[in-house]
Amino acid sequence: DQYLDQTKWKFGSLKMLQLRGKWYIHLGATTAIPEFEAEQAVHVVGIDRGLRFLAACYDEKGKSILFSGQNILRKRRKYKKLRAELQAKGTKSAKRRL
């Protein structure tokens, strides 16, 4: 198998863990990849992630797109306020709703 070939991959530490009744293995691995050459790139797109604008995208043709985060910010504020109210109330049903 290409991922288990020890001539190409160097394996690091192994960690076994159990989560919700299933066993998982985390295995660190490194490999060498060929050097990136700018001539190989066909399209270049830059993406900047933020809070006010979730993403700002710009391509090599000068076209840009902004994705507003106002709706997300409103929703975050709403649920932050709701959590604060429920925690202040402290009743059993409030804790269940949290």
Side-chain angles (χ1 to χ4, degrees):
D1 192 33
Q2 68 177 352
Y3 296 111
L4 298 176
D5 184 6
Q6 290 189 355
T7 59
K8 296 179 184 178
W9 291 88
K10 181 181 175 194
F11 296 110
S13 63
L14 177 88
K15 182 178 179 182
M16 274 183 61
L17 57 116
Q18 184 181 16
L19 183 65
R20 296 188 193 104
K22 293 185 179 180
W23 287 92
Y24 296 92
I25 295 177
H26 291 182
L27 173 64
T30 57
T31 187
I33 58 171
E35 193 67 34
F36 173 77
E37 295 184 22
E39 300 84 39
Q40 295 175 340
V42 180
H43 299 290
V44 177
V45 178
I47 300 173
D48 179 31
R49 295 175 52 203
L51 291 176
R52 286 192 55 229
F53 291 100
L54 295 178
C57 305
Y58 182 82
D59 66 2
E60 79 274 0
K61 297 174 186 167
K63 184 178 178 185
S64 61
I65 300 172
L66 299 174
F67 296 96
S68 176
Q70 290 301 314
N71 293 336
I72 303 293
L73 286 175
R74 273 191 225 105
K75 199 169 282 194
R76 282 182 186 155
R77 269 188 243 122
K78 173 186 168 183
Y79 286 109
K80 183 179 180 180
K81 184 180 174 187
L82 179 63
R83 279 194 307 274
E85 290 172 0
L86 289 171
Q87 285 177 348
K89 204 169 201 177
T91 63
K92 187 176 180 179
S93 62
K95 289 177 185 175
R96 192 170 44 242
R97 188 158 179 214
L98 276 171

